[in-house]
Amino acid sequence: MILSGVASKTEAQRALKALPAMKSAVKPGAPYMYHYYVAALIESGLKAEAKEALTSYWGGMIKKGADTFWEVYDPADELKSPYNFAPINSYCHAWSCTPVYFIRKYPEIFQQ
């Protein structure tokens, strides 16, 4: 709704800020969906939150020793794998480009 322009910036900010407190909210389990979450934060004007989301999510993989980003990463579930076997988690996935895309497209947010 945010990326399509249906929600106003005020509505988008209110919804995105409410998400962390909602226990029943479905959380993204892969870089694919986190890409769109970060994009929605930027679109709604929540630039600091977008930077935090990007650095904590992709940075979390780096802190856990990733040398390429994983196809699935859930900071709350280290054993999550699309193959039901945590050691195999597609160690080179196309959504790995998300951090570089945002860093280069929005230097005023991510290069400060």
Side-chain angles (χ1 to χ4, degrees):
M1 299 295 283
I2 294 166
L3 296 177
S4 71
V6 171
S8 69
K9 280 199 179 200
T10 302
E11 292 168 327
Q13 288 180 3
R14 189 173 46 222
L16 289 166
K17 287 180 178 182
L19 281 175
M22 296 180 67
K23 301 281 187 213
S24 62
V26 176
K27 296 180 181 178
Y32 172 83
M33 199 60 201
Y34 262 88
H35 174 98
Y36 292 106
Y37 174 62
V38 172
L41 289 166
I42 293 167
E43 183 69 25
S44 67
L46 298 173
K47 295 175 183 178
E49 291 85 344
K51 185 174 184 177
E52 171 58 27
L54 187 137
T55 57
S56 67
Y57 186 74
W58 279 272
M61 285 185 255
I62 292 169
K63 287 178 184 172
K64 291 184 178 177
D67 55 3
T68 60
F69 294 119
W70 303 321
E71 182 177 354
V72 170
Y73 173 61
D74 181 349
D77 183 0
E78 292 186 17
L79 299 178
K80 187 171 266 186
S81 166
Y83 311 104
N84 294 319
F85 185 62
I88 299 175
N89 199 355
S90 182
Y91 293 105
C92 186
H93 198 264
W95 289 98
S96 295
C97 64
T98 285
V100 173
Y101 168 77
F102 284 124
I103 289 166
R104 291 185 57 86
K105 183 167 176 126
Y106 302 101
E108 70 282 3
I109 298 172
F110 297 102
Q111 293 184 34
Q112 301 299 324

